Amino acid sequence: MQAHKIALAIHGGAGTILKSSMTADKEKAYQSALKIALEQGYQVLENGGSALDAVEVAVCFLEDSPLFNAGKGSVFSAEGRHEMDASIMEGQKLMAGAVCSVEGLANPVRLARRVMEQSDHVMLANKGAEQFAREQGFEFEKAAYFHDEYRFQQWQALRGSDKFQLDHSSKKDEKFGTVGAVALDSTGCLAAATSTGGMTNKKYGRIGDSPIIGAGTYANNTTAAISCTGSGEFFIRGVVAYDVSCLIEYKGLSLKDACREVVHQRLQKIGGDGGLIAVDTQGNIVLDFNTEGMYRGWKTPQGHGIEIYK
Amino acid sequence: MQAHKIALAIHGGAGTILKSSMTADKEKAYQSALKIALEQGYQVLENGGSALDAVEVAVCFLEDSPLFNAGKGSVFSAEGRHEMDASIMEGQKLMAGAVCSVEGLANPVRLARRVMEQSDHVMLANKGAEQFAREQGFEFEKAAYFHDEYRFQQWQALRGSDKFQLDHSSKKDEKFGTVGAVALDSTGCLAAATSTGGMTNKKYGRIGDSPIIGAGTYANNTTAAISCTGSGEFFIRGVVAYDVSCLIEYKGLSLKDACREVVHQRLQKIGGDGGLIAVDTQGNIVLDFNTEGMYRGWKTPQGHGIEIYK
């Protein structure tokens, strides 16, 4: 078996992330968290682990950090809840799992993987998904685990209004709150995972692109693994993650050109803001976005990097 | 403005639908319902109405019929509920709306359209979607509206077990219960809509492909409008509806070849059963499936047809 190059990329959301509105301490905290997530995921790949394990480990670390809008750092919904979405996909058999509007789970991405591996389904929602989690032995956290004063204040500012807020929208010092990871392992397999706490003050059980296979997450060993972050509605309408894959498979574009076409042409044409990370089976990595910034990191045997701004 | 050919196609689900296991009366009832849905939708187009209106009208009629697993004819979930999913998309601005796991609504497709036109979102779920429906003035039906003795007996056969059943799975005389419509209007606009009552005895808040833009439903005026029916998990993993569009846009396939490639090659490669209906801006119609049958109908100025078997 041919040894493949290994590669990992992660993101912690995109949006109006300006150096001018960032303190040195805050910047350092983000960089540090991204670095650890990257190292933990990459370690899995270096030890010969699967791309699936690597993206799960990296996303779990980001879910555990209060800095990112996913897992512990999830924002407050209109009813003061933390409703989380996540999805995961592997590129060999195109297996996938997703959960939406789940509460109380520290790591929704783990539940998404369990759906993929231990259920007959791809997507489970709400109380039903939580019942599946209980039957699978997942532990549930109390609301206090998810309480964060900054997130609470974000909610208070919008509470009772019809306004909602993507974590870092263009109007505020907020980002599109999503975390994600894509990986290539030493056997040549690709995987992608995405997780989010949704939008501050979101109503009506809104579901964004993060738990939707093809929109927020996609992986296929013949093309690439992709994880998105941005204004979810536009990513759904653009079927963004799968669009990158199709441009490679059907039109013969390189990973870089496919991502550029989707992020800067097709997505912007319908008004979508955000970005994505992607890796192909040659270990090429792309981290592209049409916003001011995107929390991101990447690592291959040839090098690594952590970046926030354009 | 150039006058376009108008075209409409509908489906009422695919699966192991064998002439040998169908009574003459039952067959006549299905044919009659399909014919009325087709005529009602086509009438909209003939009167110069939009593709969106046409697919909504056709799907509403199928939702109102107890014969199909959508709306009134929805199957029972594991908890004895009727949890419905629907989506709609138009091809000019790529606007889309979807609802999942909603209860008590006679016509989930109408709510999906309202989400598209009157909310900032694409996809609303569960109680939140129902709250949106109430605020929009939708009336809710009592459980008795959805009670059907045949559906109830289907559930009793599986109740309390871990089994679930797609309406007409390959193992039983059951079909994949979904309804859908695709249309081309006289202005050259395309639209698609899909609606389902899910799977008998379904658990865990399972969501199939019907409410997922790109998987069960997609429309784009530069390619085609597509509505799918089948084993939803595979349609999600295959991003089936958008795949047809990409094969046309990126690989230059005809509508017919694109549908054949997706239904008989790519979908079957991962084990997916089912079919789809599609229409392009030239008014070409395809109704393709890899199962024994698919309830279907089509109409253009050149002709029309209602069919059930291969």
Side-chain angles (χ1 to χ4, degrees), chain A:
Chain A
M1 188 168 62
Q2 191 199 340
H4 283 72
K5 187 176 167 179
I6 57 174
L8 179 73
I10 60 172
H11 71 76
T16 313
I17 306 166
L18 296 166
K19 199 170 172 61
S20 56
S21 58
M22 181 81 83
T23 66
D25 279 356
K26 205 172 162 189
E27 186 175 299
K28 199 176 287 180
Y30 276 111
Q31 284 175 332
S32 167
L34 289 167
K35 188 166 190 302
I36 299 172
L38 193 62
E39 291 298 337
Q40 288 192 357
Y42 196 76
Q43 192 71 47
V44 172
L45 298 173
E46 272 193 322
N47 293 340
S50 70
L52 263 179
D53 285 342
V55 296
E56 182 182 335
V57 162
V59 168
C60 279
F61 183 85
L62 296 168
E63 285 177 335
D64 292 344
S65 164
L67 292 171
F68 305 98
N69 176 24
K72 187 171 172 55
S74 293
V75 298
F76 286 81
S77 75
E79 294 180 335
R81 298 165 177 277
H82 303 282
E83 297 168 357
M84 301 171 285
D85 306 326
S87 63
I88 192 165
M89 186 167 185
E90 63 80 36
Q92 184 170 25
K93 295 180 176 175
L94 307 181
M95 297 293 286
V99 292
C100 42
S101 301
V102 295
E103 295 183 58
L105 287 155
N107 297 109
V109 72
R110 279 197 215 281
L111 184 59
R113 182 163 178 185
R114 202 65 69 90
V115 171
M116 176 176 87
E117 294 179 338
Q118 300 293 330
S119 85
D120 296 304
H121 306 303
V122 168
M123 193 173 198
L124 302 182
N126 222 272
K127 299 296 163 204
E130 292 164 22
Q131 184 192 333
F132 175 75
R134 273 187 295 273
E135 292 177 15
Q136 290 286 320
F138 278 77
E139 285 184 17
F140 282 72
E141 304 291 338
K142 295 219 168 62
Y145 174 82
F146 300 95
H147 189 91
D148 179 82
E149 193 53 31
Y150 175 63
R151 298 301 189 196
F152 186 74
Q153 292 308 329
Q154 281 183 316
W155 176 43
Q156 294 307 308
L158 297 173
R159 191 176 182 175
S161 76
D162 280 336
K163 289 184 190 142
F164 52 86
Q165 190 174 293
L166 285 158
D167 203 21
H168 276 249
S169 75
S170 57
K171 281 155 202 132
K172 301 223 171 191
D173 168 31
E174 297 300 328
K175 64 169 170 48
F176 297 128
T178 314
V179 305
V182 294
L184 166 66
D185 67 30
S186 57
T187 72
C189 276
L190 295 171
T194 311
S195 181
T196 185
M199 303 187 309
T200 296
N201 209 37
K202 80 168 175 177
K203 288 170 78 171
Y204 306 134
R206 175 257 190 188
I207 296 174
D209 64 312
S210 303
I212 297 186
I213 299 303
T217 302
Y218 187 74
N220 186 327
N221 283 2
T222 63
T223 56
I226 303 108
S227 170
C228 301
T229 175
S231 46
E233 280 70 12
F234 299 93
F235 282 70
I236 293 175
R237 291 163 51 204
V239 200
V240 167
Y242 190 56
D243 208 21
V244 170
S245 180
C246 287
L247 281 166
I248 297 169
E249 182 172 6
Y250 300 146
K251 216 175 171 182
L253 295 198
S254 67
L255 182 72
K256 192 177 171 187
D257 288 346
C259 291
R260 185 191 295 136
E261 172 78 14
V262 170
V263 173
H264 299 281
Q265 299 295 329
R266 295 176 68 91
L267 184 60
Q268 288 206 302
K269 201 173 156 191
I270 58 172
D273 290 339
L276 56 79
I277 55 173
V279 60
D280 66 16
T281 39
Q282 278 70 56
N284 296 307
I285 287 175
V286 171
L287 310 98
D288 207 349
F289 51 98
N290 61 32
T291 50
E292 295 295 327
M294 180 169 78
Y295 297 105
R296 61 202 188 274
W298 59 276
K299 187 163 183 175
T300 69
Q302 278 70 49
H304 59 90
I306 301 279
E307 289 178 276
I308 297 178
Y309 316 105
K310 243 187 239 179

Side-chain angles (χ1 to χ4, degrees), chain B residues 1-7 45 48-52 90-92 183-191 219-225 279-283:
Chain B
M1 189 168 60
Q2 190 200 343
H4 282 73
K5 188 176 167 179
I6 57 173
L45 299 173
S50 70
L52 262 179
E90 62 81 39
Q92 185 170 24
L184 166 66
D185 67 30
S186 57
T187 72
C189 277
L190 295 171
N220 187 326
N221 283 1
T222 64
T223 57
V279 60
D280 66 17
T281 39
Q282 278 68 55

Side-chain angles (χ1 to χ4, degrees), chain B residues 157-175:
Chain B
L158 297 173
R159 190 176 183 175
S161 76
D162 280 338
K163 289 182 189 142
F164 52 86
Q165 189 174 295
L166 284 157
D167 204 20
H168 277 248
S169 76
S170 57
K171 278 154 206 133
K172 300 222 173 191
D173 168 31
E174 296 301 328
K175 63 171 171 47

